[in-house]
Amino acid sequence: MRGRSRRTPVLVAPDWGLYLRGRRPSPTAWPHRWVRWPDFALPLDATDARDALVEARRRAASERVEIGCGHGLGRTGTALAALAILDGLNSDAAVAWVRDAYHPRAIDTPWQRAWLRRFARR
């Protein structure tokens, strides 16, 4: 699984993508799912976001999965931390792991961290 911003070139196309955008993403040559998630904000439908993340995790077991937003830090980092939570980390450990393994500024806002704490309780 990889995260990608719109500026990162596609070197190897994914089998499936999860795009976290306020507006519908551009068409892709591969199947994908869109979660309405405005920049610096939270997903507009938390149930849809959880379902999409569960699907991404399931697909990543056997497919090349891409997760992306506008710049690849806030929403993508939050999604990666949510996947780590699904794998068993608590929210603080998931944030620390993403910032260490992906990008030190991942997960932009305090409300994204609060969303991850709520995500971990479900």
Side-chain angles (χ1 to χ4, degrees):
M1 189 167 342
R2 70 183 175 142
R4 180 173 71 88
S5 76
R6 65 179 171 216
R7 294 183 304 256
T8 305
V10 176
L11 301 176
V12 177
D15 297 312
W16 185 81
L18 174 58
Y19 301 108
L20 317 167
R21 307 290 306 258
R23 293 187 210 168
R24 185 173 303 281
S26 301
T28 62
W30 49 87
H32 65 276
R33 183 166 174 177
W34 169 46
V35 171
R36 286 192 69 199
W37 192 334
D39 201 9
F40 296 104
L42 301 175
L44 297 182
D45 183 333
T47 302
D48 180 50
R50 176 177 278 277
D51 184 60
L53 290 162
V54 167
E55 181 179 3
R57 182 174 178 258
R58 178 185 55 77
R59 285 177 173 269
S62 61
E63 299 175 59
R64 184 176 182 85
V65 171
E66 172 177 84
I67 297 177
C69 61
H71 295 98
L73 291 177
R75 293 165 287 181
T76 299
T78 302
L80 294 173
L83 291 170
I85 289 167
L86 290 173
D87 272 349
L89 292 181
N90 67 47
S91 62
D92 290 336
V95 169
W97 176 79
V98 168
R99 287 181 172 167
D100 182 56
Y102 178 65
H103 195 285
R105 290 190 351 246
I107 305 145
D108 290 329
T109 67
W111 43 91
Q112 288 170 339
R113 287 189 68 143
W115 185 83
L116 288 167
R117 285 191 293 276
R118 289 190 305 276
F119 186 90
R121 289 194 297 262
R122 292 187 185 161

